[in-house]
Amino acid sequence: MKPTASSFGRLPDGTDVQLYTLTNAHGLKATISTYGGTVTSLLVPDKAGQLGDVVLGFDSLAGYQSPEYRKSGPYFGALIGRYGNRIAKGRFTLDGKEYTLATNNGPNHLHGGLKGFDKVVWQAQPGSSAQGQTLTLRYRSKDGEEGYPGTLQVTVVYTLTPDDALQIDYAATTDKATPVNLTNHSYFNLGAGADVLGHEVTLPADRYTVVDASLIPTGELRPVKGTPFDFTSAHAIGERIAQVPGGYDHNWVLTQTDGLHEAATVYESTTGRTMTVRTTEPGVQFYTGNFLDGSLKGKGGKVYGKHAGFCLETQHFPDSPNQPAFPSPILQPGQTLRSTTSYTFGVRK
């Protein structure tokens, strides 16, 4: 069985946008749009076996095109690139040449610029593998697009596995050296409630990247012990969030970096739903929907207020092109970037 396809509408320029729905034997359903490679819905069971949608998004393409959505820019469920997270002042130097990018987040460059990978239509190929139904998405990012050097060929494969995981495999090649940091920006709410402050989160990371007022890393990797950033044991999101000005929007330095390693676990007590995130990336951005303000109405007319969802964006560290001490995000010609992140769902009764 392959994923099923349906129309999601047309963009203002007439481009057709498709929705693909992946299912597994347990009834899980992941729906993904070719616009932005966006996860628009993700149905998973609770402890009573009832399916519920655990990601934020919209019922129609129009929601992702509205002036309100474009103004607030939450990137619901989208694939992010060429560089996820922030690059200071929209500038970096590579091989002696300075490159200038759009500054679309205060003084900084965020999530690939004015038209990042979240706003393009990807070429889609539904399929199946021994691991489950698959959706392969491809995009060619031209040399100079959004200011980045090199033509980047990107392939992203979504797989809904028999063990109830949505797995995302990223691959990319380039013809010039370029920074690359690919991720997915899904907002999760395992309880489908008004906010996520009661969700219990564990992050296996003993350090985080300290940031300045514009959320650019200072370069310091500070121990989490004794701070509100310590999620080495489970804590509710809302337990200490008031101690963090603006809320959580930081990169955690994962303790394990070999192979597919754990990046987070989340538990929501009302529904019993659990989510385990594993990745090959060195960091994870834990963001608690601080900028959601109730101006967006999502699926079924639900208002998305502050903390309506949380993100766990697996990644290289923010501003890595300007931080030589961080793991390098530079992809060279002849190399293939490969990265995997999985979100596995379960229940605790």
Side-chain angles (χ1 to χ4, degrees):
M1 291 284 289
K2 293 181 180 180
T4 57
S6 61
S7 176
F8 200 41
R10 292 183 182 276
L11 294 176
D13 66 1
T15 303
D16 185 50
V17 175
Q18 293 287 304
L19 272 183
Y20 289 89
T21 300
L22 287 65
T23 58
N24 76 0
H26 300 147
L28 275 74
K29 290 185 178 182
T31 304
I32 298 157
S33 163
T34 55
Y35 177 73
T38 302
V39 179
T40 62
S41 72
L42 185 54
L43 299 178
V44 302
D46 63 11
K47 60 187 176 184
Q50 297 296 311
L51 291 175
D53 195 346
V54 299
V55 296
L56 275 54
F58 300 101
D59 292 316
S60 70
L61 181 61
Y64 298 91
Q65 297 288 302
S66 74
E68 295 83 4
Y69 183 75
R70 286 183 171 273
K71 180 182 177 183
S72 60
Y75 301 90
F76 287 157
L79 293 177
I80 302 296
R82 181 172 302 195
Y83 195 91
N85 219 310
R86 293 168 178 86
I87 295 177
K89 297 181 173 58
R91 295 197 299 268
F92 66 90
T93 300
L94 182 57
D95 297 333
K97 181 178 178 180
E98 183 172 276
Y99 293 89
T100 302
L101 314 170
T103 50
N104 59 327
N105 183 247
N108 305 315
H109 176 82
L110 176 67
H111 290 336
L114 300 176
K115 189 179 180 182
F117 293 177
D118 62 296
K119 297 181 183 71
V120 303
V121 176
W122 295 66
Q123 297 298 312
Q125 181 181 349
S128 62
S129 72
Q131 288 184 289
Q133 293 187 358
T134 63
L135 181 66
T136 300
L137 300 175
R138 292 184 175 87
Y139 179 66
R140 179 176 179 267
S141 176
K142 295 177 182 177
D143 184 21
E145 183 173 295
E146 289 296 320
Y148 289 94
T151 295
L152 192 74
Q153 302 280 359
V154 187
T155 302
V156 178
V157 182
Y158 284 102
T159 306
L160 191 59
T161 72
D163 64 347
D164 298 344
L166 181 63
Q167 180 169 308
I168 312 175
D169 291 288
Y170 305 87
T173 59
T174 183
D175 58 5
K176 292 181 186 175
T178 188
V180 186
N181 192 25
L182 304 174
T183 192
N184 177 276
H185 210 300
S186 287
Y187 287 65
F188 297 97
N189 185 324
L190 301 185
D195 64 50
V196 295
L197 296 178
H199 287 54
E200 296 176 20
V201 174
T202 307
L203 301 171
D206 52 18
R207 295 176 297 166
Y208 72 101
T209 49
V210 179
V211 293
D212 65 18
S214 70
L215 298 174
I216 293 294
T218 63
E220 179 188 357
L221 305 182
R222 185 177 295 173
V224 300
K225 191 172 182 179
T227 77
F229 295 90
D230 189 350
F231 286 89
T232 52
S233 59
H235 287 274
I237 290 174
E239 182 182 334
R240 301 164 300 174
I241 197 169
Q243 300 173 42
V244 182
Y248 295 108
D249 191 4
H250 298 74
N251 173 71
W252 269 255
V253 179
L254 296 172
T255 305
Q256 298 295 323
T257 56
D258 293 336
L260 196 63
H261 49 273
E262 194 170 290
T265 58
V266 186
Y267 169 60
E268 201 286 311
S269 60
T270 305
T271 62
R273 287 191 185 97
T274 63
M275 182 174 77
T276 302
V277 184
R278 296 180 179 88
T279 189
T280 56
E281 291 295 303
V284 61
Q285 186 87 4
F286 176 43
Y287 169 57
T288 49
N290 315 314
F291 298 112
L292 298 175
D293 60 5
S295 63
L296 298 175
K297 286 186 178 180
K299 288 171 280 191
K302 185 173 183 177
V303 174
Y304 292 146
K306 191 173 185 179
H307 309 312
F310 66 88
C311 304
L312 290 163
E313 304 155 66
T314 55
Q315 61 178 5
H316 273 56
F317 305 165
D319 198 36
S320 289
N322 295 312
Q323 305 262 2
F326 289 177
S328 175
I330 305 303
L331 180 66
Q332 300 284 352
Q335 296 178 334
T336 300
L337 176 152
R338 297 193 188 278
S339 176
T340 297
T341 294
S342 65
Y343 302 85
T344 305
F345 296 91
V347 291
R348 192 187 301 172
K349 296 184 178 179

